[in-house]
Structure formats: C-alpha cells, structure tokens
Amino acid sequence: MSDPRILPAAAPASPPFTVGIVLYPGVDILDVAGPHEVFGFFDGSVIDRTIQVATVAATTQPIPTSGPLKVVAQYDFYSSPHIDLLFVPGGGNGLQDAIGDTALLDFLKQRAPEARYVVSVCTGGLILASAGLLDGYQATTHWAFIDCLKLFPTVTVVNGCPRWYKDRNRITGGGISSSVDESLFMVQTIVTDLAGGPDAADKAALAAQKVQLSIQYHPDPPFPGGDPCSVAYDVFEPVNAGMTGFRGALDAAIEARLHPAKVTVEA
C-alpha cells in the first residue's frame, strides 16, 4: 500500500526555449533591442515551451555599446544557461577587438554545436566568421562590410542585399534594422520546426504575425530604399565613403585574426 504522505512526482516540464543574445563592448543597441523585443513577445505555448531571452557576456558589469548607453548582461560566459538560439549582434567601435577576442570566440565555438540555431545580424556575421562558425556556409552582413566578410576564404557571401539569409541552421542578417525582420523570421522558423503536425506552417505564420502586431511593426519610412540595391548613387556614395575608416579597421582586425604570425612580423 502506498504511503499517502508521499505525493506523486510532477511530470517534468519542458525546458524553456532559450534565446541567448551575446553582448560585447561596442555592441549596437538596436541589434540587441530588436531581437529582445521580438522574442520577448513570442508566445511559446505554440511549441509547448516557455521562451527565455537571456543576455550573456564576458562580465555582468555594465558594458558600453556603440552609443552612449550601457547594457548589463544577465549571465557571464560561465553561468550561461543552455542556449537554443545563439544570437550574435553587430557593433561599432569595439567590434575590431571582438573579432580577435579569444574568450568571446571560444564561448561561441563551445555553444554553437549545442544550439539548434546560430544567428547573427549586421556585423555580428564577422564575429561568427572569426569563430569559424560560418566556414562552409553562405552568409550575409551589413552591405558596407560585405568585402570584410569576403576576407574569410571558406565563407560564401551571397549576392544582393537580403534582410536575412538562411543556410541550414545558420541565419545571418543584413544591417542593424534587419534585426527585427530576421527575428520575426526566426519565430516563424522555430514554430515551423518545433510545432509539428500538418498545420505547422499555419501556426508559424500566425505566431510571427502576432508578434509583429504586438510590437506594431508596420514600417512606413519617409523614403524608399535603405541599401545599395535600392538607392540612388548620390545617396549611396557619401554614406559608403563615411564607412571607409571603420571598414579599414575591421579589415586589419580580420587579417590579424586570420594571419597572426604575418601581422606580428610586419609590426
């Protein structure tokens, strides 16, 4: 006869689906805030999971972004929970250091094989490439830094100016504002993959549209365009010229990462 004082064990709950957004000095705030908002409004009940958005960095002390704001990660690299979707944002000043940051790159290399999806937006693709996580994949990045991504010999850069590009479980995004579009696409992708059943595609579309409505994402910019594929040259040329110095700094950081011995000798 069973002991009435011993309660039956509760059925184990499904673990949360965790989106891990990686922070580093110089990270772009919209690259972080866009996905944070989208996944924060994602109702995980459609995949029988809760959605957890976690920010992770080398430290839990305040981190400078590309602007005047600072961000504070919830977890450091050693206390981070399991990550299902590893998300690497782009950055401004400080990105060149991130490209060669061994602690950051080691964390990404350790966690990427465990993650169901490995995602970047904007110049975050350069960090993924520096970690070797885009080797053998097709990818994109911010239009101004396509040539930087091409420096990685085993990464195939796709043509055009896509908002995002998916190659197996690697999803890379275009520049900054693409973070919202790409994250909505990831909601759709997650539900398609995990909801199951013949109506998975319908569930996925509905889930993404619910998030889009929740954040009132209905872009209506004052001018068309926003990438070199859609603007006149007199708009493109001065903006592109303004990126030259930063592009050169990133090129140098990538060369140092790919050919450290050569850079040391020349120095």
Side-chain angles (χ1 to χ4, degrees):
M1 186 173 179
S2 61
D3 189 332
R5 294 171 298 175
I6 300 175
L7 297 176
S14 297
F17 183 97
T18 301
V19 178
I21 302 175
V22 182
L23 309 178
Y24 55 88
V27 69
D28 188 276
I29 195 68
L30 183 55
D31 285 7
V32 175
H36 201 286
E37 285 293 296
V38 169
F39 292 115
F41 278 97
F42 177 18
D43 179 3
S45 63
V46 69
I47 58 170
D48 296 320
R49 307 272 287 275
T50 57
I51 306 300
Q52 173 180 237
V53 183
T55 50
V56 185
T59 176
T60 55
Q61 295 299 306
I63 298 170
T65 66
S66 58
L69 297 178
K70 293 185 178 182
V71 290
V72 177
Q74 295 163 277
Y75 302 95
D76 63 23
F77 292 154
Y78 303 101
S79 63
S80 169
H82 171 78
I83 294 173
D84 297 281
L85 191 159
L86 184 63
F87 193 101
V88 182
N93 243 349
L95 177 64
Q96 57 269 52
D97 294 327
I99 287 171
D101 185 335
T102 54
L104 170 60
L105 301 179
D106 286 347
F107 174 77
L108 296 177
K109 287 188 282 189
Q110 178 188 10
R111 291 309 186 95
E114 305 170 0
R116 187 179 185 97
Y117 306 101
V118 178
V119 184
S120 68
V121 71
C122 195
T123 48
L126 302 179
I127 298 177
L128 282 186
S130 187
L133 298 175
L134 294 181
D135 290 351
Y137 289 87
Q138 298 183 73
T140 192
T141 188
H142 187 295
W143 62 263
F145 306 103
I146 289 292
D147 286 345
C148 297
L149 189 56
K150 287 180 178 178
L151 293 175
F152 295 96
T154 56
V155 179
T156 301
V157 180
V158 297
N159 193 30
C161 308
R163 297 294 278 175
W164 70 83
Y165 190 84
K166 183 177 186 293
D167 182 358
R168 289 159 284 173
N169 79 329
R170 300 294 196 267
I171 301 90
T172 50
I176 310 175
S177 66
S178 300
S179 63
V180 176
D181 303 63
E182 182 183 28
S183 296
L184 288 168
F185 170 71
M186 288 312 305
V187 170
Q188 182 182 13
T189 299
I190 292 164
V191 177
T192 299
D193 292 346
L194 301 185
D199 59 347
D202 293 336
K203 290 178 180 176
L206 181 60
Q209 288 177 79
K210 284 181 176 179
V211 176
Q212 188 170 339
L213 176 61
S214 297
I215 63 173
Q216 198 172 342
Y217 185 61
H218 186 61
D220 185 21
F223 300 100
D227 58 50
C229 304
S230 59
V231 299
Y233 185 74
D234 62 347
V235 176
F236 167 76
E237 195 279 331
V239 175
N240 184 55
M243 303 280 191
T244 301
F246 187 45
R247 194 158 47 225
L250 296 183
D251 285 347
I254 293 168
E255 287 294 342
R257 172 67 178 161
L258 294 176
H259 310 292
K262 178 182 177 182
V263 172
T264 301
V265 170
E266 290 179 351

